Amino acid sequence: MVAQEFLVTAPHGTEDLLLDEIAVLGATGIGSIRSGASFHGSLETAYRICLWSRVASRVFLPLTRFGAQDADQLYERARGFAWEDHLGPSHTLAVDASLRRSWISHSRFAALKIKDAIVDRFRDRSGQRPSVRVDQPDLRIHALIDGQSVTLCLDLSGEGLYRRGYRAQGGQAPLKENLAAAILLRAGWPEMARAGQALLDPLCGSATLLIEGALMAGDVAPGLLRTHFGYLRWAGHDEGAWRQLIEEAAQRKAEGQKGLPPILGCDSDRVAVAAAQANVARAGLAATLVIDRADFASWLPRVRSEVGDQGLIVTNPPYGERLGDVTRLAAVYAALGNGCRRHFGGWRLSVLTGNPDLAGHLGLRAKRSHSLRNGPIRAKLLHYDLRSGTDDGAQPDASAGSRPVGDLKPLDGAAEMFANRLRKNFKAVCRWAEREGVSCYRVYDADLPEYAVAIDYYQGRVHVQEYQAPPSVDATKAHRRLLDVLRVVPEVLGVAADQVYLKQRRRQRGAEQYGRTARSGEFFQVEEGPCRFWVNLSDYLDTGLFLDHRPIRRKILEMAPGVRFLNLFGYTGAATVFAARGGAAGTVTVDASRTYLDWARRNLQLNGFTEGPHRLERCDVLEWLDKTKESFELIFLDPPTFSNSKGRSGTFDVQRDHVNLIRQAVRCLRPGGLLIFSTNHRKFRLDGDALGDLEIADISAATIPWDFRRSPTIHKCWLLGASGALDDACGGQERRSKKPQRP
């Protein structure tokens, strides 16, 4: 066959793989172009590349080149080409364009001008014209426009070569098949497969990596399942050469299926596993490739006995872009690194991530890395050699954006001590929670100084808050301890790693504590006593339910029958829900945030309460108190420590301004009414002298729940009312005074 010029493209970062690949497939005169290569060869060579290339995106045959200074020249010179040599008027047609440094501002405009030129030529010559078909046309023309230079090409691939034909649907963020193949080539999988080593993907999604790995191991042409290529109805198509290539590929496939190595994957998502299994079946690999629905932390040790002493673990874990939930992914990466290191010493691990900071939580040092693009996302492919779990001195990869943390063993003495403490706490708190009917509770609160985190359990999910370390604590050591926490928590508390949500709590001022940290929109229901609530563990620093306020809410429930209840700084309305459940005649919830009032509305609706007797007021609390004429028998006042709300002329400081705030709130009390005042400002001192005309009872100790007993200053709480108002509320059991002792 006559040698011709061709162009071939590939994903960014895989160009060197493409050059090596097309050389093996028979290309000559190979040169580099932007995101691809040029080469010379016969039409059969181009067909072979379309059929066998694992990383190529498209293959183009240049048909004509010309210069064009404006749209009229583009039209006329495209019209002057002999298109009738390549298709007939009964064929379908599509035109695409790509621009670089061009006078044309929009690729779609360029494609439209060229399409008009082609169909007008046919109409003028025969009175008929090809029809336009965007999806799988008989002929697809691609225009490469660089400045004033125009190259019109036949797209031999017809559609992206990454469309192998086995995938009907992907997961939430599927890899393109040719990028998955490039990852496996970078990881050295073909050589490992020839040596009979195994391939695992513990977060397999729609199984693209595993299927591509099986096609490589079985010597299956990646294009063998495709039914459409751009040359099959082209006038210049060589059907004989193509049939010969297909027969050769079928024979190689039959030979290559003998003695394939173990290829296994798992995913915890039911939909992803169903899609993966369907993709595997369409690829003809159902007897070869095993997909389990399982949490990888338990799956990895279970399958260890089914594979050899060497192999490749390759995976594309979520990195926030596809799930919108970075806060929980640190634990996923930590558990992944820990499981691979502990159970697969002697293996290799390759991880694609678009978030290098998350990769640091693997607790491993990458021996090498590659830059790739996963769609619009700049990603890193990190490669690790896994040593034995007993002697691994691995470190997070500093070049990947993580903080170096020194030698990190799976569980050193301190980490084992933390695991034992967490295990002991969890056992005790589970007994207490079952007895008390509590479903959300604190498990650990910086019990060991080295592990300065708070760990809360929310009905099968875990919320981890890392406290800010003082300057005297080495940041490297603190980060290493956090990795310990993220590895230990899923195992000890019996939850999947992706159900652990990490927050790093820094010193906040005012409304910052309520600021958004992510946008997953992932809400789920929890129960507390007779009430249910929506909580969100990922999107905000706080979850929507203050667990330490549990006894306060219970007290409100007991005091609510028949009263009108006012909830100031109402947040997500948990106290309001308890008041409504307790039989309050009506409630008013005041907060300046539309987000949290909407959340409160959803909480009320979840519990069967409508806004008729339960009103929500979006307003600055100080402004609302200053204007209202309403009165209430019971008021709950839980202000922020500090606030600089945009709607307020000045700032609010609870220590400085609490007397005026309490005075304004008390003004709304009916005779005999009570105010519950709470604050989480640990250094707060109530000014009893300035409030000397009120009866005050410090009920802080009675409102600290058992699971917060290690943090007796988590909040402070008082009952306030006019003389005699506290008698019934306290039942004579709590000492009252006009000047309470300073707590």
Side-chain angles (χ1 to χ4, degrees):
M1 289 188 178
V2 178
Q4 302 179 75
E5 180 192 8
F6 298 91
L7 307 174
V8 56
T9 62
H12 175 78
T14 69
E15 293 87 349
D16 59 322
L17 296 174
L18 177 70
L19 295 177
D20 292 341
E21 190 178 52
I22 64 174
V24 172
L25 293 172
T28 61
I30 299 171
S32 295
I33 62 171
R34 188 181 185 189
S35 295
S38 62
F39 68 92
H40 288 81
S42 64
L43 192 57
E44 180 183 349
T45 303
Y47 287 174
R48 187 179 295 275
I49 290 172
C50 286
L51 181 62
W52 279 99
S53 175
R54 300 191 186 278
V55 297
S57 296
R58 291 182 183 269
V59 179
F60 299 115
L61 169 62
L63 299 176
T64 183
R65 287 187 171 94
F66 53 81
Q69 297 180 353
D70 55 34
D72 291 338
Q73 281 191 353
L74 178 65
Y75 172 85
E76 290 297 336
R77 292 176 181 177
R79 184 178 177 180
F81 182 69
W83 294 105
E84 59 274 11
D85 293 342
H86 298 276
L87 77 162
S90 63
H91 287 159
T92 56
L93 171 73
V95 181
D96 303 318
S98 56
L99 310 177
R100 186 181 179 211
R101 301 176 301 185
S102 175
W103 48 267
I104 300 175
S105 59
H106 202 293
S107 60
R108 192 171 180 180
F109 171 76
L112 184 63
K113 296 298 290 185
I114 295 166
K115 183 270 295 179
D116 288 345
I118 296 172
V119 299
D120 287 352
R121 179 183 177 92
F122 275 95
R123 184 187 294 113
D124 292 346
R125 295 172 68 89
S126 65
Q128 296 178 295
R129 49 156 286 181
S131 300
V132 173
R133 179 178 176 180
V134 176
D135 181 43
Q136 295 190 353
D138 295 327
L139 210 71
R140 184 179 294 276
I141 302 300
H142 190 83
L144 301 170
I145 302 177
D146 189 347
Q148 295 182 6
S149 175
V150 181
T151 303
L152 299 183
C153 303
L154 170 62
D155 184 349
L156 295 175
S157 40
E159 60 181 2
L161 292 174
Y162 64 87
R163 296 182 182 273
R164 313 291 205 215
Y166 61 75
R167 190 164 73 185
Q169 64 182 56
Q172 290 175 295
L175 284 174
K176 286 186 176 179
E177 291 88 327
N178 58 342
L179 181 59
I183 290 169
L184 290 160
L185 291 170
R186 293 286 193 211
W189 167 241
E191 296 80 7
M192 300 174 76
R194 284 192 289 271
Q197 298 180 22
L199 178 67
L200 306 181
D201 185 349
L203 292 152
C204 71
S206 56
T208 306
L209 283 164
L210 295 174
I211 294 173
E212 291 296 313
L215 296 180
M216 287 182 186
D219 196 25
V220 179
L224 194 56
L225 288 175
R226 285 171 57 114
T227 58
H228 175 74
F229 287 92
Y231 44 78
L232 294 180
R233 298 202 64 190
W234 171 46
H237 174 48
D238 186 338
E239 179 65 19
W242 176 240
R243 292 307 332 156
Q244 186 174 347
L245 286 172
I246 291 294
E247 290 170 6
E248 174 194 317
Q251 184 176 356
R252 287 176 60 174
K253 176 183 177 182
E255 290 294 321
Q257 297 303 294
K258 302 172 183 176
L260 286 174
I263 301 177
L264 303 89
C266 82
D267 203 287
S268 61
D269 183 81
R270 177 183 57 79
V271 175
V273 169
Q277 292 172 339
N279 292 341
V280 168
R282 277 188 290 270
L285 297 168
T288 301
L289 205 162
V290 178
I291 304 292
D292 294 326
R293 184 184 176 195
D295 172 50
F296 71 83
S298 60
W299 181 81
L300 285 170
R302 176 165 59 83
V303 300
R304 181 65 185 86
S305 61
E306 302 175 25
V307 294
D309 293 332
Q310 290 183 308
L312 174 65
I313 301 172
V314 62
T315 193
N316 173 36
Y319 34 82
E321 290 291 338
R322 70 179 183 180
L323 294 182
D325 187 10
V326 175
T327 60
R328 68 177 177 180
L329 296 180
V332 173
Y333 278 72
L336 176 64
N338 188 48
C340 292
R341 181 174 50 244
R342 290 177 65 184
H343 303 291
F344 288 87
W347 281 52
R348 297 183 195 172
L349 170 67
S350 293
V351 177
L352 181 71
T353 179
N355 190 327
D357 288 334
L358 281 173
H361 289 292
L362 288 167
L364 301 166
R365 182 186 293 280
K367 66 173 185 176
R368 57 194 175 95
S369 66
H370 295 93
S371 296
L372 296 170
R373 278 189 182 272
N374 184 9
I377 302 168
R378 295 179 182 272
K380 281 280 189 183
L381 177 61
L382 305 169
H383 305 279
Y384 307 89
D385 283 336
L386 298 171
R387 306 182 212 168
S388 167
T390 59
D391 63 1
D392 186 17
Q395 303 177 33
D397 178 34
S399 67
S402 63
R403 293 168 284 179
V405 299
D407 289 344
L408 179 63
K409 297 181 180 179
L411 280 184
D412 59 16
E416 191 63 51
M417 187 180 301
F418 166 73
N420 290 337
R421 174 61 67 93
L422 184 62
R423 193 174 292 110
K424 178 182 177 182
N425 285 8
F426 190 50
K427 185 177 180 180
V429 76
C430 283
R431 288 197 302 265
W432 166 82
E434 184 176 1
R435 185 173 62 250
E436 297 293 323
V438 175
S439 62
C440 303
Y441 41 81
R442 179 146 296 184
V443 179
Y444 175 95
D445 197 353
D447 298 35
L448 304 177
E450 300 93 335
Y451 293 91
V453 296
I455 301 174
D456 297 320
Y457 186 86
Y458 283 82
Q459 293 185 203
R461 294 173 171 87
V462 179
H463 189 241
V464 177
Q465 300 174 78
E466 180 194 19
Y467 294 126
Q468 183 174 9
S472 59
V473 174
D474 180 70
T476 295
K477 185 176 293 186
H479 184 56
R480 182 173 63 190
R481 296 309 187 204
L482 181 60
L483 294 182
D484 289 339
V485 170
L486 295 177
R487 293 200 306 274
V488 165
V489 163
E491 181 178 346
V492 172
L493 302 190
V495 299
D498 62 359
Q499 298 302 301
V500 178
Y501 300 73
L502 172 67
K503 305 283 180 57
Q504 294 175 299
R505 185 178 283 277
R506 301 296 181 246
R507 293 183 180 88
Q508 307 291 322
R509 291 184 67 82
E512 290 180 2
Q513 65 180 316
Y514 305 110
R516 185 183 288 270
T517 60
R519 294 185 180 275
S520 75
E522 183 184 340
F523 288 81
F524 63 97
Q525 295 179 29
V526 299
E527 298 174 356
E528 183 182 315
C531 304
R532 291 183 296 163
F533 299 99
W534 292 106
V535 298
N536 183 309
L537 302 188
S538 58
D539 291 358
Y540 306 89
L541 193 59
D542 288 305
T543 67
L545 187 66
F546 295 132
L547 299 186
D548 62 297
H549 278 186
R550 198 184 307 114
I552 298 176
R553 290 190 287 268
R554 188 181 304 120
K555 194 170 193 67
I556 290 171
L557 178 79
E558 295 168 354
M559 301 170 69
V563 307
R564 293 199 74 234
F565 173 74
L566 173 62
N567 187 2
L568 298 170
F569 302 99
Y571 189 39
T572 61
T576 304
V577 170
F578 266 85
R581 179 64 69 197
T587 68
V588 177
T589 303
V590 184
D591 200 288
S593 167
R594 184 189 303 276
T595 297
Y596 292 109
L597 282 184
D598 287 343
W599 198 334
R601 180 177 294 106
R602 293 180 63 204
N603 279 336
L604 283 165
Q605 292 171 347
L606 181 63
N607 288 273
F609 301 114
T610 64
E611 284 191 52
H614 304 290
R615 199 169 83 244
L616 302 172
E617 293 277 359
R618 185 182 175 215
C619 187
D620 176 77
V621 168
L622 297 172
E623 179 183 334
W624 190 88
L625 285 172
D626 187 55
K627 295 180 178 179
T628 188
K629 304 296 184 182
E630 297 185 70
S631 58
F632 304 85
E633 287 89 2
L634 182 61
I635 300 175
F636 179 50
L637 176 58
D638 181 38
T641 297
F642 179 88
S643 176
N644 55 357
S645 172
K646 295 179 181 178
R648 188 182 303 128
S649 58
T651 63
F652 171 82
D653 182 289
V654 70
Q655 184 62 67
R656 182 191 66 202
D657 301 322
H658 74 276
V659 171
N660 178 58
L661 176 63
I662 290 173
R663 286 285 181 202
Q664 284 188 287
V666 167
R667 186 177 59 82
C668 297
L669 281 176
R670 291 180 176 176
L674 288 171
L675 170 71
I676 302 174
F677 174 73
S678 174
T679 178
N680 67 345
H681 182 20
R682 296 186 182 234
K683 296 182 180 180
F684 179 81
R685 296 292 182 265
L686 188 72
D687 190 344
D689 292 335
L691 298 169
D693 58 316
L694 298 176
E695 264 195 7
I696 304 172
D698 184 347
I699 60 171
S700 300
T703 61
I704 302 298
W706 182 86
D707 48 323
F708 283 83
R709 64 196 182 283
R710 286 187 55 84
S711 303
T713 60
I714 187 72
H715 70 247
K716 299 175 182 179
C717 190
W718 292 266
L719 276 178
L720 299 95
S723 180
L726 270 60
D727 289 340
D728 292 336
C730 296
Q733 297 178 12
E734 298 181 46
R735 182 173 180 176
R736 305 181 302 279
S737 67
K738 300 256 181 141
K739 298 181 181 179
Q741 294 181 345
R742 293 183 181 272

